[in-house]
Amino acid sequence: MSNDFQFLEVERHDPAKVDVQQRKTQFIEIYTEFQQEQVHQQADRCLDCGNPYCEWKCPVHNYIPNWLELAKQGRIIEAVELSHQTNSLPEVCGRVCPQDRLCEGACTLNDEYGAVTIGNVEKYITDKAISMGWTPDLSKVESRPETVAVIGAGPAGLACADVLARNGIKAVVYDSYQEIGGLLTYGIPAFKLDKGVMQTRRKIFEGMGIEFVLNTHVGTDISFNELATQHQAVFLGMGTYKAMTAGLAGEDAHGIIQALPYLIGNTHEVMGSVDADNPYISLKGKKVVVLGGGDTAMDCVRTAVRQGAERVICAYRRDQANMPGSRREVSNAQEEGVQFNFNQQPVAFEVQDGSVKGVHVVNTEMTEADASGRQGCKAIDGSEHLLEADAVIIAFGFQPSPAPWLESIGVQLDKKGLVIAPNDSDYAYQTSNPKVFAGGDMVRGSDLVVTAIDEGRKAAAAIVDYFDDKK
Ligand code: FAD
Ligand code: SF4
């Protein structure tokens, strides 16, 4: 039975979290599974607004009220089919999207009653369907003669391959790593996204006819021109990997670590593998300071906690309201004992005998918002002081890292090094080389899983149009 006033009677609930003392020592997802009754109750809180703001705010425009209704009725297979009409990795987005800034932030109930727990229901639908043996049914899809090379098995490349497969086009996905997922596998830690999730998804994609060529770096192991000869189009989803530095003296001291190699090394340790380029670094027993306030910084502080660091401080130059990271993850980190020093900006490293001993920081105060609406900050004179540390992690984000061969194949870059692939041209996300499409972080800059998925999907639809028009 449906209850129109459920939102008054039942509060917003997320699934229970694993006990904080236990989760602080383990690399396991911290949310336990939603039970069917909880899904029913949360889905029933949805007002089914005529013009659902959640749907508009979701970058892939998921049919949220519709699949909430199906989940409420226990029609899981219909719900999962509907969910895959707009999203290639709903079980991933349900886990890692910053819902408070996206769908749930826009839910009509959010301010007064608490948003419907959209993300967790999205995750539940796919997890449940997979446990029931669901796989996409492509038996009615007619195969086409064209094939597409996808470079990069991150969310952009995977989403592109998914939509191509659903249109009967063979996608061959190349990646340097030994597993698919890009940052989903090697960047985002297992306490947010269990490593088994992408392994399960790989089997689903392979069942759809998508081929993976892994451990293969395009540009060294195989050339772009070989791919371009073998396939009728190429999609680039190669991400952004050039880490921003602090630009302060002493940054090469022992104990000053870049965020992504640290996280990748830890993920290999968790997965029982080794990556010579990103060795495992243990911060057990160390005093750790993480500089930055985005998702990467949150992942670093919580990884250090799990490694047994003596104490972990996150120093961020703006205030909490202006942090770019998900509020949910900040609160999870706080629960796990991370100390947040807001309005603190690093000005120098304290280095002795080649090893870091701390970070000199100044306090800051917030300034007026700029044209983008985001407030800046300025240093307060005379406020400099030392944060002691024997490990400092720099998590300032990433700059474009375009492959050196892109320009030689006629793919133009903007001044920052991002691939130019407009979404409003005749074929969305087509580059200046008509046969080459691109999406995700290498086009829009370091952003979100769901925006990478959106661009990969739209590029695939444009590739289908491009092939149709060439017939
Ligand atoms: P990537 O995921 O970077 O994938 C690119 C792939 O291309 C990689 O697998 C790489 O090996 C491959 N590749 C590159 N060059 C070549 C080549 N020449 N040959 C073969 N393969 C190549 N977003 C969220 O929404 N929520 C989060 O909680 C979140 N947390 C994050 C935490 C961290 C630590 C980081 C770094 C990012 C996080 N993000 C998060 C951002 C999100 O992961 C990225 O925006 C997203 O993964 C971008 O997808 P992509 O497909 O463009 O690139
Ligand atoms: Fe919300 Fe992300 Fe799912 Fe869209 S994809 S409904 S923004 S969790």
Side-chain angles (χ1 to χ4, degrees), residues 80 110 117 215 269 301 320 361 415 421 445:
V80 81
N110 189 40
T117 53
N215 282 317
E269 175 79 7
V301 290
Q320 184 164 6
V361 293
K415 280 192 210 135

Side-chain angles (χ1 to χ4, degrees), residues 92-379:
V92 174
C93 291
R95 285 169 164 89
V96 305
C97 268
Q99 285 103 9
D100 45 43
R101 288 198 269 132
L102 299 173
C103 53
E104 294 179 7
C107 172
T108 309
L109 294 177
N110 189 40
D111 291 340
E112 244 178 295
Y113 301 99
V116 174
T117 53
I118 297 168
N120 273 305
V121 177
E122 186 179 24
K123 165 186 168 221
Y124 169 87
I125 291 170
T126 309
D127 285 355
K128 180 80 183 165
I130 291 173
S131 75
M132 290 161 66
W134 168 85
T135 53
D137 176 10
L138 303 193
S139 59
K140 295 197 178 63
V141 174
E142 275 184 38
S143 293
R144 298 178 52 136
E146 303 94 344
T147 64
V148 175
V150 173
I151 308 179
L158 294 175
C160 180
D162 174 51
V163 173
L164 290 170
R166 288 168 190 273
N167 282 278
I169 296 169
K170 170 100 183 165
V172 184
V173 185
Y174 297 82
D175 202 292
S176 324
Y177 288 135
Q178 56 269 54
E179 288 292 341
I180 71 163
L183 289 172
L184 300 179
T185 296
Y186 293 103
I188 299 181
F191 50 81
K192 272 166 55 182
L193 178 62
D194 185 87
K195 299 301 154 194
V197 172
M198 287 314 295
Q199 285 163 357
T200 302
R201 192 40 91 161
R202 177 174 171 181
K203 289 194 193 116
I204 292 177
F205 282 146
E206 285 173 337
M208 293 166 68
I210 297 170
E211 186 181 332
F212 293 106
V213 182
L214 303 177
N215 282 317
T216 303
H217 187 79
V218 177
T220 48
D221 298 323
I222 187 167
S223 72
F224 172 86
N225 287 336
E226 275 178 75
L227 299 185
T229 315
Q230 289 165 17
H231 303 277
Q232 288 68 54
V234 180
F235 175 79
L236 311 174
M238 295 152 67
T240 52
Y241 284 90
K242 187 172 167 208
M244 305 240 265
T245 59
L248 301 174
E251 206 163 337
D252 55 356
H254 183 72
I256 300 182
I257 308 163
Q258 265 297 341
L260 194 55
Y262 167 65
L263 292 173
I264 295 175
N266 188 72
T267 293
H268 277 285
E269 175 79 7
V270 170
M271 292 171 77
S273 51
V274 176
D275 177 357
D277 295 334
N278 300 289
Y280 175 60
I281 300 170
S282 168
L283 299 182
K284 189 171 171 35
K286 306 263 189 214
K287 292 191 190 76
V288 180
V289 172
V290 176
L291 302 174
D295 283 327
T296 306
M298 293 313 104
D299 291 347
C300 289
V301 290
R302 297 175 69 200
T303 297
V305 165
R306 282 160 176 76
Q307 290 182 338
E310 184 187 315
R311 64 116 170 92
V312 183
I313 293 176
C314 176
Y316 177 56
R317 66 192 173 127
R318 292 190 173 91
D319 60 7
Q320 184 164 6
N322 282 280
M323 276 184 105
S326 155
R327 273 175 236 149
R328 176 189 60 203
E329 303 308 339
V330 174
S331 123
N332 285 334
Q334 283 169 327
E335 283 171 17
E336 290 164 11
V338 174
Q339 177 186 326
F340 280 84
N341 290 8
F342 295 109
N343 289 104
Q344 286 193 350
Q345 181 168 359
V347 288
F349 293 113
E350 176 70 21
V351 179
Q352 286 169 22
D353 301 326
S355 293
V356 73
K357 296 291 168 202
V359 194
H360 293 272
V361 293
V362 287
N363 295 336
T364 65
E365 60 189 0
M366 302 307 293
T367 55
E368 292 293 301
D370 62 16
S372 74
R374 191 160 182 227
Q375 281 181 281
C377 61
K378 65 172 189 199

